């Protein structure tokens, strides 16, 4: 318990540091949102509108420390301000309406990649030198080393445009009303396949190799030989003896990856026009939309920290050695 | 025994989860097919005009025209202006106003409103609505500094009084959207109002099926020209980039796009020669190579002209702009302003013609001699310069690279810098850049262009934010002509001023004009006909500008 409390203190400190960075960094970027918008309008806006727009967006010219104090205060009250690129929508609404899709896409892709990758790794290590062990890892690493954008576009052309198996874009069909019914859910599912598949393809190799390597180390342990000598069934030894012990690094990786799911798969969202938060972040950065940028960064940092904290908790349960100091 | 301490069921749970996921994936893949093409091929007569937005990944239900981020079609289909100006044929079409008259002294403008126009909630449009719109606009967004008073003379006549003679006000006022007073006067904070169910005079005002990635605009039941409401409605689709939007377009799922399609002949037209068309008229702004005139040697007009002579505009328009742009001449006027062009001056241009030898000679004459293959500045250092372009503009980066090669021929070393646009525009704003490829203002007359490149009133000192005239050049003589143009009440009087400005431009070379920007636009007439074309240029093919309403009221659905 004391360990957890000490960790909690560390996490609070990290959170403070990250929101401070979050406040400072955008303000070092060149330009300001209104003159940015003016430049993008390329001559269709009148110069005298600029002052009014500044007022409209509530861009403040107060001293930095005053802005900082009110920023920290607003973080803890959940008021993240009004987005500039989506004016006058509050930042919390922009994030709230899109983060669900990002979590769905990133979460499904992560779970599928981690589970499949680990299983492949276990089996490959168990049958070292077999077809699975010699053919899969190089193939998956090869696929994973493709530029993601290229791979995703390729998958879109092949399975979407040419074969017409999967829809080309969006989270569900145009004109469909969202609701918890079979039609809508299966529609969402079909729209999820291609974007999730491409993420799985590029990330599964890492999972498989990681698991395979720890499995090989574990399989050389004495207790495995002991189990074999007792005449236990091979699958029982593989999963209950070896894999369980080899799983620890994968749990850590899973926790870390869970935190980064919130950051969104930016390129996936761009290629498949998926309505997640990643593309919104790109837009916010390009439009110098400080409130939205900070809101998204804040969500990402919070998610990473929470995921790390959870991994810590799980680790304490899974590995008794961590508890001993 | 040891095994009993191991939780017994875990691996099976994992395995089961895997098989379940795999099975689900199989089921999902089995039950798809053909769900992608929503409206393609529909010619029932009730098909929706489908338009993509490649720059918006999601929509927000905000139809407030005062908001700079209003949803697409707010200003094109929901609200209407007094008159519609088309950049394609430079014509003004009477719209909510039927006639207008300028006072002899140029200090006021009177519009007569059309009879029988109704808002989409059935109430009649009156002069009060127009007066209220301009009051609200000034209060919330500012602008219109020259506008003294807007008065409703009677229910259908509105008079705009100015504090000075200002003829170009016509385009700003006539092109401005009109809001219903009976709705907006009840709104507490009009700037932050999202106006989810807009009431407008436009042809398509009823918002339906609004979702973050698509929505429909259906017919205004009270539209004033029902005969021109031939399409059943408009469907907007959100895309997060050119690539995904272009796939939908080349797949025949959308009807009309203005996103950039590389190699359009092959990637789009060739797919269906009968139906797929594009038209890129040179109606955009003049794209300039701007030299920061606060820095030596760019403060010397002879140097600016010499650099301009080194530039091969034909190669720029052919190679970098795919042949879709028109090279500039020394009047600086875009093709949009052909009727204002001083043709004899344009015919005698010297400094906008590609001539490497003349450029080298002009640089020699100005005191920038070449030695050892490198051109030297007056202080003996090498003549070098940076060309800044935003990293997203691949076409303009090619333009900058061609200029770089051309400059090398006269011994000048140019470096093409391509950081993000925000860094580039910030260096333009504060005047710290060397040179850059820059858009210019694009109005109904050349007034905005010349004011933007030559007026001393727009010049800010280095370090202070400039919003136009980044190159910081001003000429008092130009000020006089620009003011006289704005004050002139007849076109012949305005002509004289524009002639004078062209002459001055030719003398000063405030910027190096490169080419007239094309306006992208492509369509398929498989489901709708009546598009603007080169033969019938009643509007451009852009779907975000003032003339878009003309297209929306001209299209007819294809039946059967």
């Amino acid at each position: 318990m004391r360990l957890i409390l000490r960790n909690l203190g560390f996490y609070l400190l990290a959170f403070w540091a990250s929101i401070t960075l979050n406040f400072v960094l955008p303000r070092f970027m060149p330009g300001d949102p209104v003159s940015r918008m003016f430049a993008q309008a390329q001559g269709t806006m009148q110069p005298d509108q600029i002052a009014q727009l500044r007022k409209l967006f509530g861009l403040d010219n107060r001293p930095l420390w005053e802005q900082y104090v009110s920023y920290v205060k607003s973080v803890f009250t959940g008021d993240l301000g009004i987005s500039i690129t989506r004016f006058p929508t509050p930042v919390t609404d922009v994030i709230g309406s899109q983060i669900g899709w990002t979590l769905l896409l990133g979460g499904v892709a992560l779970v599928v990649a981690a589970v499949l990758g680990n299983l492949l790794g276990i089996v490959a290590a168990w049958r070292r030198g077999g077809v699975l062990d010699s053919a899969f890892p190089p193939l998956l690493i090869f696929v994973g080393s493709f530029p993601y954008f290229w791979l995703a576009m390729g998958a879109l052309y092949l399975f979407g445009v040419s074969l017409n198996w999967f829809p080309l874009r969006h989270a569900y069909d145009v004109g469909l009303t969202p609701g918890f019914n079979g039609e809508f859910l299966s529609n969402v599912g079909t729209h999820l396949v291609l974007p999730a598949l491409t993420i799985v393809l590029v990330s599964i190799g890492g999972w498989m190799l990681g698991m395979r390597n720890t499995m090989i180390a574990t399989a050389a342990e004495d207790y495995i030989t002991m189990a074999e000598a007792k005449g236990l069934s091979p699958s029982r030894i593989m999963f209950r003896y070896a894999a369980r012990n080899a799983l620890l690094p994968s749990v850590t990786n899973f926790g870390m990856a869970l935190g980064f799911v919130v950051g969104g798969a930016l390129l996936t969202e761009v290629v498949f026009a998926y309505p997640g938060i990643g593309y919104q972040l790109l837009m916010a950065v390009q439009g110098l939309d400080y409130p939205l940028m900070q809101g998204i960064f804040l969500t990402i940092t919070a998610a990473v920290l929470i995921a790390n904290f959870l991994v810590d908790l799980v680790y304490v349960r899974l590995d008794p050695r961590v508890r001993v100091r | 025994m040891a095994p009993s301490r191991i939780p017994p069921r875990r691996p099976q749970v994992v395995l089961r989860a895997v098989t379940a996921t795999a099975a689900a994936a199989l089921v999902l893949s089995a039950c798809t097919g053909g769900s992608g093409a929503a409206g393609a091929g529909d010619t029932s007569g009730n098909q929706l005009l489908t338009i993509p937005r490649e720059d918006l990944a999601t929509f927000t239900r905000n139809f407030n025209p005062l908001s700079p981020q209003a949803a697409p079609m707010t200003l094109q289909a929901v609200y209407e202006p007094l008159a519609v100006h088309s950049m394609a044929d430079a014509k003004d079409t009477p719209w909510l106003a039927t006639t207008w008259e300028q006072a002899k002294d140029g200090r006021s403008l009177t519009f007569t409103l059309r009879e029988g126009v109704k808002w989409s909630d059935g109430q009649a449009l009156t002069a009060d609505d127009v007066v209220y719109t301009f009051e609200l606009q000034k209060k919330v967004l500012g602008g219109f500094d020259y506008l003294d008073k807007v008065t409703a003379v009677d229910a259908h006549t509105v008079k705009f009084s100015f504090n000075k003679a200002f003829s170009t006000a016509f385009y700003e006022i006539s092109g401005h959207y009109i809001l219903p007073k009976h709705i907006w006067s009840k709104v507490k904070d009009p700037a932050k109002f999202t106006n989810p169910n807009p009431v407008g005079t436009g042809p398509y005002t009823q918002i339906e099926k609004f979702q973050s990635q698509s929505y429909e605009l259906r017919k205004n039941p009270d539209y004033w020209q029902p005969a021109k409401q031939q399409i059943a409605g408009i469907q907007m689709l959100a895309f997060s980039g050119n690539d995904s939007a272009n796939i939908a377009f080349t797949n025949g799922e959308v009807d009309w796009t203005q996103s950039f399609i590389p190699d359009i002949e092959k990637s789009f037209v060739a797919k269906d020669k009968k139906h797929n068309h594009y038209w890129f008229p040179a109606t955009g702004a003049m794209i300039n190579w701007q030299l920061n005139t606060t820095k030596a040697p760019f403060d010397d007009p002879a140097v600016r002209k010499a650099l301009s002579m080194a530039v091969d505009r034909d190669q720029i328009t052919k190679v970098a702009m795919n042949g879709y742009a028109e090279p500039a001449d020394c009047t600086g006027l875009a093709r949009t302003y052909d009727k204002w062009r001083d043709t004899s001056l344009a015919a005698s241009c010297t400094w906008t013609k590609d001539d490497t030898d003349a450029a080298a000679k002009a640089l020699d004459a100005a005191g920038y001699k070449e030695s050892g293959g490198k051109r030297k500045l007056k202080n003996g250092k090498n003549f070098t310069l940076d060309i800044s372009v935003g990293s997203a503009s691949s076409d303009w980066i090619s333009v900058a690279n061609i200029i770089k090669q051309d400059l090398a021929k006269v011994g000048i070393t140019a470096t093409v810098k391509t950081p993000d646009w925000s860094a580039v525009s910030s260096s333009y704003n504060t005047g710290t850049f060397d040179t850059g490829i820059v858009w210019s203002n694009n109005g109904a007359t050349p007034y905005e262009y010349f004011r933007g490149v030559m007026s001393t009133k727009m010049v800010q000192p280095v370090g202070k934010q400039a919003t136009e005239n980044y190159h910081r050049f001003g000429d008092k003589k130009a000020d006089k002509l620009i003011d006289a143009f704005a004050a002139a009440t007849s076109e012949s009087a305005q002509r004289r001023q524009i002639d004078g400005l062209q002459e001055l431009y030719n003398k000063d070379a405030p910027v190096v004009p490169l080419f007239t920007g094309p306006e992208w636009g492509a369509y398929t007439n498989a489901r709708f006909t009546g598009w603007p074309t080169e033969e019938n240029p009643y509007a451009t093919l852009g779907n975000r500008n003032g003339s878009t309403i003309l297209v929306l009221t001209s299209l007819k659905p294809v039946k059967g």
Side-chain angles (χ1 to χ4, degrees), chain A residues 122-173:
Chain A
I122 291 170
V123 179
W126 208 248
R127 307 219 171 99
R128 277 181 80 185
V131 182
L132 191 70
D133 189 35
S134 42
F136 257 64
L139 182 76
L140 289 178
I141 295 297
F142 178 66
V143 172
S145 62
F146 281 158
Y148 175 76
F149 193 76
W150 190 90
L151 183 84
M153 281 306 261
L156 187 64
Y157 273 114
L158 181 63
F159 297 110
V161 178
S162 305
L163 296 172
N164 201 18
W165 287 358
F166 297 105
L168 303 176
R169 69 190 70 95
H170 294 176
Y172 51 88
D173 277 346

Side-chain angles (χ1 to χ4, degrees), chain A residues 195-260:
Chain A
L197 182 77
T198 53
I199 305 180
V200 169
L201 269 182
V202 292
S203 57
I204 195 168
W207 291 106
M208 179 179 176
L209 270 191
M211 189 60 190
R212 174 183 171 273
N213 294 346
T214 31
M215 262 301 271
I216 287 170
T218 317
E221 296 281 341
D222 289 342
Y223 64 86
I224 302 289
T225 322
M226 163 80 170
E228 274 166 356
K230 280 197 299 192
L232 294 175
S233 78
S235 72
R236 191 184 170 95
I237 304 172
M238 178 163 78
F239 284 113
R240 297 194 190 174
Y241 282 56
R244 178 180 144 83
N245 285 299
L247 208 59
L248 281 175
S250 281
V251 170
T252 318
N253 288 341
F254 188 80
M256 306 284 275
L258 204 59
F260 287 106

Side-chain angles (χ1 to χ4, degrees), chain A residues 30-32 35-39 42-43 46-50 52-53 56-57 82 84-89 98 112 115-116 119 149 153 156-157 161 164-178 186 189-190 193 230 236 239-241 244 269-271 273-275 279-280 283, chain B residues 1 3 6-8 10-12 15 18 21 28-29 31-36 54-55 57-60 62 67-69 137 139-145 172 191-192 194 209 211 213-214 235 237-240 243-244 247-248 251 253 421-423 425-426 429 439-442 451 465 467-468:
Chain A
D32 76 285
S35 47
R36 194 68 218 286
M37 202 178 281
F38 187 80
Q42 305 207 338
Q46 291 299 313
D48 42 7
Q49 288 178 357
I50 289 186
Q52 289 289 332
L53 276 183
L56 185 68
F57 292 149
I82 286 175
I84 293 171
T85 53
R86 305 298 294 271
F87 191 84
T89 320
Q98 291 172 18
V112 172
V115 171
L116 268 182
L119 267 180
F149 193 76
M153 281 306 261
L156 187 64
Y157 273 114
V161 178
N164 201 18
W165 287 358
F166 297 105
L168 303 176
R169 69 190 70 95
H170 294 176
Y172 51 88
D173 277 346
V174 163
L176 210 61
T177 317
S186 75
T190 52
V193 176
K230 280 197 299 192
R236 191 184 170 95
F239 284 113
R240 297 194 190 174
Y241 282 56
R244 178 180 144 83
E269 288 171 10
V270 170
V271 174
Y274 210 78
Y279 179 77
Q280 210 60 54
M283 287 283 101
Chain B
M1 273 289 181
I6 296 171
R10 282 245 182 98
Q12 280 91 334
L15 261 179
V18 174
T21 321
L28 291 175
S29 66
C31 67
T32 48
S35 66
E54 78 287 349
D55 55 342
T58 49
F59 297 123
T60 25
N62 169 17
S67 161
Q69 322 293 4
Q137 172 77 19
K139 199 174 85 192
V140 178
L141 287 176
F144 298 99
D145 289 336
E172 269 183 49
K192 294 194 176 145
T194 54
K209 295 190 179 166
Q211 281 151 18
Q213 299 205 296
S214 67
Q235 181 173 58
L237 298 182
F239 291 92
S240 41
D243 289 309
S244 51
I247 287 179
N251 232 15
E253 292 170 54
W421 262 121
S422 59
S425 56
S426 150
N429 292 146
W439 61 91
S440 62
N441 294 337
N442 194 13
R451 191 190 57 183
Q465 293 267 323
T467 49
E468 50 187 311

Side-chain angles (χ1 to χ4, degrees), chain B residues 198-217:
Chain B
V199 172
T201 57
Y204 299 93
T205 53
Q206 311 305 105
I207 314 300
E208 269 180 40
K209 295 190 179 166
F210 193 97
Q211 281 151 18
S212 63
Q213 299 205 296
S214 67
Y215 60 86
E216 294 172 14
L217 287 125

Side-chain angles (χ1 to χ4, degrees), chain B residues 290-292 295 388 427-428 431-436 470-472:
Chain B
Q290 295 198 349
L291 312 169
N292 188 343
K295 290 188 179 178
S388 312
S427 72
Y428 291 168
T432 54
F433 73 111
D434 257 10
T435 78
Y470 305 127
H471 55 294
R472 289 161 164 83

Side-chain angles (χ1 to χ4, degrees), chain B residues 197-510:
Chain B
N197 295 301
V199 172
T201 57
Y204 299 93
T205 53
Q206 311 305 105
I207 314 300
E208 269 180 40
K209 295 190 179 166
F210 193 97
Q211 281 151 18
S212 63
Q213 299 205 296
S214 67
Y215 60 86
E216 294 172 14
L217 287 125
R218 296 289 185 157
K219 283 184 185 174
N220 171 358
D222 286 304
Y223 195 48
W224 54 276
Q225 40 182 3
K228 293 193 158 190
Q229 261 177 319
Q230 304 233 25
I231 48 182
I234 304 164
Q235 181 173 58
M236 299 299 305
L237 298 182
F239 291 92
S240 41
N242 277 340
D243 289 309
S244 51
N246 288 347
I247 287 179
F249 191 57
T250 52
N251 232 15
E253 292 170 54
V254 300
D255 299 293
W256 180 14
T257 185
Q258 70 169 65
S259 85
F260 179 74
I261 303 170
D263 202 3
I264 191 161
E265 280 286 351
K266 220 161 100 193
S267 57
F268 173 60
V269 177
K271 285 207 164 180
D272 185 355
K273 283 214 163 101
K274 201 170 147 228
H275 295 118
N276 294 358
H277 303 277
Y278 69 93
W279 180 41
F280 299 158
T283 59
M286 176 59 70
I287 307 302
N288 299 315
W289 179 28
Q290 295 198 349
L291 312 169
N292 188 343
T293 62
T294 62
K295 290 188 179 178
F298 310 127
D299 53 350
D300 181 355
V303 172
R304 297 197 290 267
K305 286 183 180 177
L307 292 178
S308 169
M309 275 188 263
V311 173
D312 185 351
R313 286 174 178 75
D314 285 334
Q315 203 191 359
I316 286 178
T317 50
K318 259 188 216 121
V319 178
M321 301 307 294
N322 283 306
Y324 303 138
E326 303 263 353
D329 60 42
C330 61
T331 63
L333 291 181
R335 304 307 312 185
T336 330
Y337 308 122
D338 273 346
K339 83 168 195 187
W340 297 95
R341 189 181 312 279
D342 180 343
T343 42
S344 61
L345 179 66
S348 68
C349 282
T350 52
W351 58 279
T352 46
K353 291 254 158 37
D354 171 36
D355 189 339
T356 312
D357 293 338
K361 269 186 208 139
L363 284 166
D364 287 345
Y368 303 93
K369 304 258 191 234
E370 196 167 351
S371 81
K374 296 271 178 216
R375 199 154 291 275
K376 302 286 178 190
L377 291 173
K378 285 183 175 158
N379 60 12
K381 285 191 183 149
N382 284 345
F383 193 145
T384 60
L385 57 88
D386 293 336
I387 309 174
S388 312
V389 194
S391 60
S393 307
S394 53
D395 47 352
W396 288 8
I397 291 175
S398 317
V399 172
N401 279 318
I402 292 174
I403 295 178
K404 177 188 163 167
Q405 288 164 15
D406 290 340
L407 292 180
K409 290 181 203 153
V410 293
I412 297 171
T413 313
T415 313
V416 178
K417 284 195 167 170
T418 56
D420 181 68
W421 262 121
S422 59
V424 176
S425 56
S426 150
S427 72
Y428 291 168
N429 292 146
T430 51
T432 54
F433 73 111
D434 257 10
T435 78
I437 313 290
V438 184
W439 61 91
S440 62
N441 294 337
N442 194 13
T445 65
Y447 170 82
E448 279 87 359
Y449 178 70
F450 285 125
R451 191 190 57 183
V453 294
M454 293 168 89
S455 162
T456 59
K457 288 174 191 160
M458 300 293 160
V459 179
Q460 297 284 351
V462 171
K464 225 177 145 225
Q465 293 267 323
T467 49
E468 50 187 311
N469 199 337
Y470 305 127
H471 55 294
R472 289 161 164 83
F473 175 90
D475 184 335
K476 285 253 164 22
K477 278 180 246 150
D479 288 356
K480 270 195 201 137
L481 291 165
I482 290 166
D483 289 345
F485 176 89
T489 49
S490 73
E491 201 175 294
S492 63
Q494 289 183 328
R495 250 223 106 87
R496 277 198 299 280
Q497 318 306 330
I498 293 292
D499 284 349
L501 282 163
Q502 294 179 63
E503 222 167 277
L504 212 54
Y505 188 94
N506 183 37
K507 187 169 115 332
D508 287 337

